[in-house]
Amino acid sequence: MAAGPTTAEKDGASKPKGSSGRPSRTGTRSGRFRVPGPRVLLVALAVLAITAGGLWAFYGSSWLRVEHVKTSGTRVLTVREVEAVAAVPIGSPLVSVETEAIEARLRQKLPRIDTVEVVRSWPHGIGLKVTERQPVLVVEKGGKFTEVDSTGTRFATVDKAPPGVPKLVLAAASSPSLRRFDADRLLLEAVRATGELPEKVARDTRVVRVTSYDSLTLELRGGRTVFWGSAEAGAVKARVLTALMKAMPKAGHFDVSAPTAPAASGS
């Protein structure tokens, strides 16, 4: 008579293959949604309220709006013309003012401006900090005077030459050097040379005459002249000229075109 299955065999037959015999935990953790606690909700609401309040204060309220414009640094330009071109939107939220656009507009429409900084002055102001170009030479044409700054930029035309600024005379129409150096290049050389002049000589200079790239002459107060030559070695020429003028104070003509062999003559 065949023996029946044992208890262990019955137990084994009842278990699915691959099962460890432990109760399944499938679904006990997956898909579970945890509701945020009261503290988390309060913090989130507080952050939302602060953000909304800040946006309203900057954009919606009347607390932080543009009420006035302050301009500084003008010399020749007037405050009124600077502010008219700036066109700062009075009454607009201060945070929304496009400062870079204002700066670009001022530089484009007022070329006398060298640099300008537009700053927000909380809670109600806009500041315009202007730096104007300074003329180092003027070019006369048709009774008008075009001002030239230290970079060689022609930035304004005026009816009257500014005091103390030398007049540039370009007399190089027949010079062979024009084939290599045009009028703009000669202007730059004149600017470069005047930037190296000794302070006293610069104050006394009335005319800077350029006939070629290497022929630049300064006409000083009292009828004196300085033949500077080219703009090369300007710092050396300035030192030599200072010493030469001290040694021969009554001379009327000075030549420092070759600074290693300077000369002075006349009275």
Side-chain angles (χ1 to χ4, degrees):
M1 181 176 180
T6 65
T7 303
E9 289 174 339
K10 290 179 179 180
D11 291 339
S14 64
K15 295 178 181 177
K17 292 182 180 181
S19 173
S20 62
R22 296 179 181 177
S24 173
R25 296 186 179 182
T26 304
T28 59
R29 293 185 180 180
S30 62
R32 179 180 293 178
F33 177 77
R34 180 173 296 176
V35 178
R39 180 176 296 179
V40 175
L41 289 175
L42 287 175
V43 171
L45 289 173
V47 170
L48 182 61
I50 292 172
T51 302
L55 290 173
W56 177 81
F58 280 113
Y59 292 96
S61 76
S62 60
W63 300 345
L64 302 174
R65 292 182 177 270
V66 181
E67 294 181 359
H68 57 83
V69 179
K70 182 179 181 181
T71 301
S72 61
T74 55
R75 296 167 60 93
V76 177
L77 295 171
T78 66
V79 170
R80 178 175 294 182
E81 62 185 322
V82 170
E83 293 181 0
V85 171
V88 176
I90 300 296
S92 298
L94 190 58
V95 71
S96 70
V97 175
E98 297 181 357
T99 57
E100 292 183 359
I102 294 174
E103 291 174 2
R105 185 160 59 246
L106 285 168
R107 287 195 300 268
Q108 179 184 6
K109 295 187 176 181
L110 296 175
R112 185 177 290 278
I113 292 178
D114 186 14
T115 62
V116 59
E117 183 181 4
V118 180
V119 295
R120 296 180 179 88
S121 180
W122 301 95
H124 300 299
I126 288 290
L128 307 177
K129 300 180 179 179
V130 173
T131 301
E132 295 184 8
R133 297 181 187 273
Q134 299 300 311
V136 296
L137 291 170
V138 293
V139 179
E140 184 179 7
K141 184 177 181 181
K144 302 283 187 178
F145 298 88
T146 299
E147 296 176 293
V148 182
D149 73 359
S150 60
T151 67
T153 301
R154 298 176 175 90
F155 63 88
T157 299
V158 294
D159 294 330
K160 185 178 179 181
V165 178
K167 182 170 70 173
L168 173 64
V169 176
L170 290 174
S174 59
S175 172
S177 66
L178 281 178
R179 296 175 183 175
R180 294 181 57 194
F181 309 106
D182 60 14
D184 287 338
R185 175 61 186 276
L186 295 180
L187 183 147
L188 287 174
E189 293 301 306
V191 168
R192 179 182 171 192
T194 55
E196 298 281 6
L197 295 180
E199 184 177 350
K200 186 177 184 307
V201 175
R203 288 198 306 266
D204 287 345
T205 300
R206 294 293 174 262
V207 175
V208 177
R209 188 176 300 274
V210 180
T211 56
S212 68
Y213 176 81
D214 56 1
S215 181
L216 186 151
T217 301
L218 310 174
E219 298 178 9
L220 310 183
R221 182 185 303 170
R224 295 174 300 162
T225 61
V226 177
F227 183 58
W228 193 262
S230 72
E232 302 294 333
V236 176
K237 291 178 180 179
R239 291 195 296 269
V240 170
L241 180 60
T242 299
L244 195 60
M245 285 182 159
K246 286 182 178 179
M248 302 184 67
K250 295 184 179 181
H253 177 73
F254 303 89
D255 186 340
V256 293
S257 56
T260 55
S265 61
S267 59

